[in-house]
Amino acid sequence: MSDELDRELARAADALRSAARVCVLTGAGISAESGVPTFRASDGLWEGHRIEDVASPFGFERDPRLVWNFYNARRANVRTVQPNPGHHALTRLEARWDDRFAVVTQNVDGLHRVAGTKNLYEIHGSLYRTRCTGCGEVADRGLDALPELPHCHCGAMLRPDIVWFHESLPDDVWTAAVTSAAKCSVMLVVGTSAVVHPAASLIPLAKRQASWDHVRRPAIVIEVNMTRTEASDLADIGLYGPSGQILPKLVDLLDQPA
Ligand code: BV8
Ligand code: ZN
């Protein structure tokens, strides 16, 4: 790795060594090395679709078959992938802080859960789950292929249990994510373009309002990404390169004596 990156990695390890609580915000980039396509790599189109058509309640109302085609294809993709060293590095980090550590993910691929992360908030839902448009029942269906237009035992159509654009995030999960961001002393921001809200608002929240040991002290923000993003100006430390290589290196540094 470059000297500059090595220097920044040493600074990041120092910041983590003295961290009382750690919050990690992840986006599609942490799953890229597992083979899960990111959102904005495809110039605003998502697997050839307009986001409005496949990830909004209006799109689902207009053409549920198209939306289920899209989600069944993503479920089939995720069925073939595994967590990468970046996901596993976060479980090693969690072991150091235990319940003073949380991962807030925008991803719906479930890879943090498969990697073993315990304190996990999936703020945009999960590809594994469906929700009934009639009785509201939420069910974990694994990643097995679902029918083109799956229906509930009550007769109503199922939808993915995923937060689409124009939809609000689940209260309980979002409240837990906000609490984690507001209390952390270090926030790792990994693999997100920091464009989607309210997820991206967790970064300024950690930066400005974090309270630690009852002293209101801003969190140290460490960005891990391939490029600078909308959040880079808020980052105290920038680690630019593949998260699957950077995160394990960071954890190895923590394991070495300071
Ligand atoms: C809400 C589920 C209101 C779907 C997702 C105008 C009209 C309507 C709404 C809005 C509007 N303007 C703003 C909004 C709000 C809107 C929004 O933020 N829009 C954006 C686009 C401007 N937000 C919403 O609609 C939210 N709801 O506001 O509700 C409301 C309020 C009250 C009451 C009722 C309603 C809901 C947002 C949730 C949308 N659902 N996902 C699905 O996944 O199937 S968001 C979707 O984008 C994914 O979850 C994804 O995670 C997320 C963010 O994208 P990223 O994860 O950042 O991925 P991206 O590709 O962008 O970036 C990848 C990054 O990784 C890059 O930086 C890249 O450099 C980096 N990278 C790549 N490889 C690597 C890497 N880094 C490291 N290593 C690598 N190897
Ligand atoms: Zn039902």
Side-chain angles (χ1 to χ4, degrees):
M1 291 188 172
S2 72
D3 293 351
E4 154 82 4
L5 181 52
D6 285 338
R7 265 197 309 279
E8 290 294 280
L9 272 162
R11 288 182 60 217
D14 274 349
L16 280 168
R17 266 190 206 96
S18 53
R21 308 178 84 89
V22 175
C23 176
V24 186
L25 173 64
T26 66
I30 196 167
S31 296
E33 290 157 85
S34 294
V36 181
T38 63
F39 295 83
R40 279 156 198 88
S42 45
D43 53 65
L45 276 188
W46 199 0
E47 304 288 285
H49 298 288
R50 280 178 353 108
I51 287 187
E52 278 297 316
D53 294 340
V54 290
S56 80
F58 320 114
F60 186 66
E61 210 173 300
R62 220 176 10 253
D63 189 345
R65 200 177 291 278
L66 171 72
V67 173
W68 268 113
N69 249 339
F70 176 68
Y71 280 97
N72 271 326
R74 291 180 63 201
R75 288 162 53 89
N77 164 251
V78 172
R79 205 179 301 147
T80 65
V81 304
Q82 290 301 322
N84 65 62
H87 296 101
H88 293 302
L90 294 185
T91 55
R92 286 169 62 198
L93 273 187
E94 181 172 43
R96 299 172 74 93
W97 279 274
D98 197 14
D99 61 359
R100 291 174 298 119
F101 177 96
V103 172
V104 177
T105 189
Q106 301 171 81
N107 301 340
V108 296
D109 58 31
L111 288 176
H112 286 300
R113 197 172 296 288
V114 173
T117 293
K118 290 194 318 289
N119 303 324
L120 175 65
Y121 304 122
E122 294 175 309
I123 56 172
H124 291 162
S126 168
L127 278 174
Y128 285 68
R129 295 194 304 267
T130 59
R131 187 164 82 233
C132 176
T133 59
C135 67
E137 181 189 83
V138 173
D140 184 328
R141 310 262 173 191
L143 290 173
D144 301 338
L146 292 174
E148 266 200 323
L149 273 183
H151 281 74
C152 176
H153 50 74
C154 79
M157 191 166 12
L158 296 177
R159 58 164 281 176
D161 186 32
I162 278 181
V163 180
W164 284 327
F165 287 99
H166 314 276
E167 293 186 324
S168 33
L169 280 57
D171 262 349
D172 52 346
V173 176
W174 177 241
T175 306
V178 167
T179 305
S180 174
K183 281 189 169 171
C184 70
S185 37
V186 168
M187 173 176 268
L188 271 170
V189 180
V190 185
T192 182
S193 57
V195 161
V196 170
H197 284 266
S201 65
L202 294 174
I203 307 165
L205 173 62
K207 191 75 199 163
R208 296 196 186 102
Q209 299 167 23
S211 63
W212 177 60
D213 283 355
H214 309 302
V215 174
R216 296 192 78 69
R217 187 180 302 163
I220 294 173
V221 173
I222 301 169
E223 178 173 49
V224 180
N225 201 303
M226 295 299 283
T227 63
R228 287 181 62 81
T229 68
E230 305 259 328
S232 299
D233 290 346
L234 285 174
D236 302 281
I237 300 170
L239 306 175
Y240 295 108
S243 50
Q245 295 172 25
I246 287 183
L247 290 174
K249 188 114 172 84
L250 182 56
V251 185
D252 290 345
L253 278 176
L254 274 180
D255 288 346
Q256 287 166 15

